[in-house]
Amino acid sequence: MVIDLPEPCVVVLIGAAGAGKSTFAARHFAPTEILSSDAYRAMVSGAESDQRATRTAFSILHRQLGKRLLAGRTSVIDATNVTPYARRAVLRAAAASRTPVVAIVFELPPAVVTARNAGRAGRVVPEDIVRHQLAHLERASASGVLEAEGFTAVHRLGTATEVDAVEVRRHG
């Protein structure tokens, strides 16, 4: 699969913990383009998994996104983004600057996601939370919510093989 991205744009990675979003981001984007909720949690609290730092981490992420939008820079939002609430601020900010927003959805089988999450070094999310994230993702996907939210394009990846085979091309 080829994912064509306009330049500049906002790329919103959507998927449960362990789905491969951060690995995908590191493979296809420069470190300076990635706005990672885990990295901001680590910056605030010293631990990527410290959920008590989430509010502050997202405040920083959204502030940095705003600055990047003003500068006309492509930005990749590396967070679960499985709820409409989580996506809303990003979509609003991008709309205000007339920047296209592309969703890349990681819809891998639940057994694959939970196994990957369990094998993550130092960043294991409790399984009940991962199941909750997967349920949110399934509801959004099944009802067509993502397409209706204002994304310029929605790309769905359903297997690890599809994720590994993606080619990201930029134009503009």
Side-chain angles (χ1 to χ4, degrees):
M1 168 190 282
V2 174
I3 296 177
D4 286 312
L5 297 178
E7 278 289 340
C9 71
V10 175
V11 177
V12 178
L13 305 179
I14 302 172
K21 299 176 304 296
S22 296
T23 301
F24 181 90
R27 184 180 303 137
H28 295 286
F29 301 98
T32 56
E33 295 176 311
I34 301 168
L35 303 176
S36 164
S37 60
D38 287 345
Y40 289 120
R41 272 192 213 95
M43 183 172 52
V44 170
S45 71
E48 292 180 345
S49 60
D50 185 350
Q51 297 300 307
R52 295 171 299 175
T54 295
R55 182 181 304 258
T56 303
F58 274 95
S59 177
I60 296 167
L61 186 151
H62 291 134
R63 186 169 42 251
Q64 293 304 314
L65 174 61
K67 290 177 181 181
R68 292 183 62 79
L69 287 167
L70 285 172
R73 309 285 295 167
T74 290
S75 300
V76 179
I77 308 303
D78 181 10
T80 59
N81 296 307
V82 294
T83 66
Y85 175 79
R87 299 182 294 270
R88 193 170 299 129
V90 173
L91 286 160
R92 280 189 193 141
S97 66
R98 298 193 170 144
T99 303
V101 185
V102 176
I104 301 176
V105 188
F106 295 75
E107 298 176 318
L108 281 67
V112 171
V113 173
T114 54
R116 283 181 167 187
N117 175 61
R120 290 166 43 162
R123 296 188 317 151
V124 177
V125 174
E127 190 173 331
D128 62 319
I129 293 174
V130 174
R131 282 195 305 271
H132 188 69
Q133 293 169 350
L134 288 165
H136 275 293
L137 182 61
E138 185 178 337
R139 281 193 296 276
S141 296
S143 63
V145 167
L146 296 173
E147 287 77 5
E149 286 182 2
F151 289 100
T152 305
V154 177
H155 301 279
R156 298 175 185 281
L157 305 173
T159 67
T161 302
E162 286 179 359
V163 172
D164 291 342
V166 167
E167 177 186 349
V168 174
R169 288 192 281 194
R170 300 177 188 221
H171 58 85

